[in-house]
Amino acid sequence: QIDTAIESLDREFEGRIPTQTVHRVSAEVLDQLLSEARLPNTPAYTLSFGVGYLFPLRDLGALRLRVDWTHVGRSGSDATDSRILRKGKHGELAASCAWTLSDGKTELALFGENLLNRAYLVDGSDFADSFGHATRFQGAPRTYGIELRRQF
C-alpha cells in the first residue's frame, strides 16, 4: 500500500479590517502587517507519503510494516502572527510493525513517532508587549512504544 498527499493553500487576507477595530496603528501600517502575516495554524503546503506492506504468516496471522513521512510548511501560531511564535517548516518520520494473530482479534504492535527527534513549535502565547514574556510549546520528542489490542 502506498499513500501520498499534497495539500496547498492560498493564505492571503481578503479585504480590509474596519478602521473602528484599529487601535494605535494606522490603516496603512495594518495593511502592511497583514500582507506579510501568516494565518494561524495554516501552512501554505503539507506533504505526506506512506508505505505499508502486509506479510501473511500462514497459521501465525499477519505482519504489517508501515513507514510515514509528513512535511509541513511554515505558518503562524496566533492571530497577531507574532514573529517569535512563527512555526518553521518541519518533517516527521513515523513507523510501525504490527503482528495480528490468526484469530484476527488480537494485535501486538511496535510504533515510533518523530523518529528523527526533530524539535518544532506547536503553539504558544506571546505576552512580550505586556509582560515581556512569550511561551512556546514544542512538539513531542521521539516517542516509541508497544500496543496490545484485542477486539471483543
Side-chain angles (χ1 to χ4, degrees):
Q1 177 182 1
I2 297 175
D3 302 311
T4 187
I6 300 172
E7 302 168 21
S8 178
L9 180 65
D10 181 8
R11 307 172 300 166
E12 292 184 16
F13 284 98
E14 296 291 331
R16 292 174 58 108
I17 297 202
T19 52
Q20 64 266 24
T21 64
V22 178
H23 302 287
R24 300 177 292 167
V25 178
S26 70
E28 293 80 24
V29 171
L30 184 61
D31 283 341
Q32 176 64 31
L33 290 172
L34 289 178
S35 69
E36 298 172 0
R38 293 177 170 90
L39 292 173
N41 302 312
T42 311
Y45 65 91
T46 302
L47 311 170
S48 62
F49 179 76
V51 175
Y53 195 79
L54 184 66
F55 297 93
L57 300 176
R58 296 190 181 156
D59 295 338
L60 298 176
L63 184 67
R64 181 177 36 88
L65 303 176
R66 177 124 187 120
V67 176
D68 292 288
W69 173 259
T70 303
H71 187 85
V72 180
R74 293 181 181 95
S75 69
S77 66
D78 65 341
T80 60
D81 190 35
S82 303
R83 294 197 191 290
I84 195 166
L85 296 180
R86 284 189 180 165
K87 300 177 188 179
K89 60 184 177 182
H90 71 280
E92 285 189 62
L93 180 66
S96 66
C97 175
W99 174 35
T100 303
L101 298 181
S102 58
D103 67 2
K105 295 182 177 183
T106 307
E107 182 179 85
L108 179 64
L110 303 172
F111 68 90
E113 303 284 336
N114 193 9
L115 292 173
L116 300 176
N117 205 23
R118 301 260 172 99
Y120 59 95
L121 178 68
V122 174
D123 205 353
S125 300
D126 184 6
F127 299 111
D129 291 340
S130 53
F131 298 114
H133 178 74
T135 302
R136 296 168 46 115
F137 302 104
Q138 297 292 323
R142 179 182 300 124
T143 306
Y144 48 89
I146 299 174
E147 288 181 340
L148 177 61
R149 290 185 240 182
R150 174 77 178 167
Q151 294 179 7
F152 296 97

